[in-house]
Amino acid sequence: MFSKEITDGKTTMNNKNKYIKGLRDGVPIGLGYLSVSFSFGMLAVNMGLPIWSVVLISMTNLTSAGQFAGIGIIAAGSPMLEMIFAQFIINLRYSLMSVTLSQKTDETMTLPHRLLSSFFITDEIFAVASGQPEDVGCKYMYALGTAPFLGWSLGTLLGAVAGNIMPDSLCSALGIALYAMFVAIVLPPARRSRPLIIVVAVSIALSCLLRYLPLPFKLSGGTVIIICAVAASALGAAVFPVKEDDGV
Amino acid sequence: MTVSTGRLLAYIAVMAGVTYLIRMLPITLIKRKINNRFIKSFLFYVPFAVLSAMIIPDILFSTASVWSAAAGLLVAVIMSLIVANLLPVAAAACGAVFIVELIMRIIK
């Protein structure tokens, strides 16, 4: 998958090649994003958000789980503080990826380029960038982020527009797409790791308990996710700390 | 939805701002490796814990009927254990929901 054009242990790719390689590597991610963001756009419009705002969210956030929680918070009219906490907790994983990438950048990654290119850090873009045999430069990062950004924005627009004109039966069926994707992200790695299964089970159990127990106070969806994530992850980190060489 | 345009823009600005800072600050500021094992482990588990809490129980109310959603969830679980790819799993779950709701309409 990753073409190695290495001689004498040094990369010989010039900047133009790096850009083209980045564009190419980003296409499969972009196609995947196109369909996922379609269901995001549809869902958000069904929640009552105007089309322009849904597209703006995708263009400025470029993340699935965070946006997904975000539109729930907006639709419920929850406090701004809840939005801050929810986005912080849900997207905290990007900081780990950001740290990892900071150890893997070449000399072209100057401060302005770090400021700009870090916008493109998503699960999939990180996975491809960190899988490169050589250090990652700014040209490659911009190129890699291009197709995913276009796919994510365009898919959102199409979903937001089509969500209004599609038959209810199709809307209902597509409503589960994003959740099914989350299942496909969580289950395969969890199946191979007992600690992960336990963390997942604890988070699910807490999520159900907090929503269905007759509590004396009302917790919003965003708060429930924050509590579940922090509690289950802290438990996992305390009982099953990851080994030094894995976990990233 | 009763949110004004101004408040909607404020929500979006906060969302985008927080998400960007999380991505930007570490790669810009931190030059050394994180060695704290607890923090590393915590960050490793976070995405899985977040997604799990987002899936259950909300997935059951993501379609027109709890039953079609349950069928979709079941298919998503089975499919993701067979093919780890995101797209086939999502497509199969949608298909299951569509078929179950079709059958429910016919039976009624």
Side-chain angles (χ1 to χ4, degrees):
Chain A
M1 172 99 198
F2 305 115
S3 62
K4 283 182 187 167
E5 298 170 46
I6 297 170
T7 13
D8 305 330
K10 267 184 77 181
T11 169
T12 55
M13 271 196 285
N14 62 31
N15 282 339
K16 197 184 165 201
N17 282 343
K18 276 183 186 167
Y19 194 79
I20 290 168
K21 183 175 187 306
L23 281 179
R24 223 177 32 216
D25 289 350
V27 169
I29 305 176
L31 287 176
Y33 281 7
L34 194 71
S35 47
V36 177
S37 60
F38 185 91
S39 63
F40 168 77
M42 208 186 66
L43 195 79
V45 166
N46 285 344
M47 281 179 159
L49 274 77
I51 293 172
W52 65 264
S53 72
V54 179
V55 177
L56 184 63
I57 289 172
S58 278
M59 292 183 76
T60 54
N61 283 264
L62 194 67
T63 177
S64 62
Q67 289 185 199
F68 185 69
I71 56 169
I73 291 168
I74 294 173
S78 303
M80 208 55 85
L81 207 61
E82 189 182 315
M83 179 66 95
I84 294 173
F85 277 129
Q87 297 302 318
F88 180 74
I89 292 297
I90 292 169
N91 292 328
L92 203 54
R93 66 187 188 281
Y94 292 141
S95 65
L96 183 65
M97 298 173 192
S98 181
V99 173
T100 310
L101 283 179
S102 75
Q103 321 280 320
K104 205 186 151 49
T105 49
D106 67 17
E107 68 287 345
T108 64
M109 206 51 118
T110 53
L111 179 64
H113 289 307
R114 280 171 197 259
L115 291 175
L116 251 174
S117 66
S118 55
F119 171 76
F120 294 111
I121 298 174
T122 69
D123 298 340
E124 293 78 10
I125 291 173
F126 166 77
V128 172
S130 61
Q132 293 304 302
E134 68 278 337
D135 278 350
V136 171
C138 63
K139 283 229 165 60
Y140 181 78
M141 272 305 277
Y142 293 133
L144 181 63
T146 303
F149 178 78
L150 291 177
W152 190 248
S153 308
L154 187 67
T156 304
L157 176 66
L158 292 176
V161 173
N164 282 336
I165 54 173
M166 268 201 309
D168 287 348
S169 58
L170 220 57
C171 279
S172 175
L174 284 173
I176 205 169
L178 217 53
Y179 292 100
M181 259 206 42
F182 292 161
V183 171
I185 293 173
V186 170
L187 266 193
R191 181 199 199 184
R192 289 187 293 272
S193 155
R194 226 173 72 91
L196 259 188
I197 291 182
I198 293 170
V199 167
V200 165
V202 167
S203 185
I204 289 175
L206 265 179
S207 164
C208 292
L209 279 177
L210 289 175
R211 267 175 253 211
Y212 293 120
L213 275 186
L215 298 168
F217 45 87
K218 197 183 173 306
L219 290 174
S220 67
T223 315
V224 168
I225 290 166
I226 294 166
I227 295 172
C228 294
V230 171
S233 302
L235 181 92
V239 183
F240 314 105
V242 293
K243 291 184 202 77
E244 284 307 308
D245 51 341
D246 58 41
V248 174
Chain B
M1 209 182 68
T2 53
V3 176
S4 71
T5 303
R7 179 131 176 107
L8 184 54
L9 282 170
Y11 272 127
I12 296 174
V14 166
M15 264 176 96
V18 173
T19 306
Y20 172 66
L21 287 178
I22 291 168
R23 285 168 165 153
M24 181 273 284
L25 286 178
I27 198 172
T28 311
L29 298 179
I30 304 175
K31 303 287 185 199
R32 59 183 177 83
K33 269 202 158 164
I34 289 182
N35 288 317
N36 185 305
R37 208 172 169 203
F38 183 85
I39 295 176
K40 278 176 80 174
S41 306
F42 180 83
L43 288 173
F44 169 72
Y45 287 121
V46 159
F48 298 98
V50 165
L51 291 176
S52 307
M54 286 182 102
I55 298 167
I56 313 280
D58 284 359
I59 190 172
L60 294 173
F61 311 106
S62 66
T63 69
S65 142
V66 175
W67 299 110
S68 65
L73 171 60
L74 187 68
V75 167
V77 168
I78 294 168
M79 280 292 288
S80 60
L81 293 180
I82 301 170
V83 287
N85 251 318
L86 308 187
L87 285 181
V89 175
C94 292
V97 170
F98 189 80
I99 290 167
V100 167
E101 287 180 7
L102 200 68
I103 294 170
M104 286 170 74
R105 266 196 302 277
I106 292 169
I107 291 173
K108 263 185 192 167

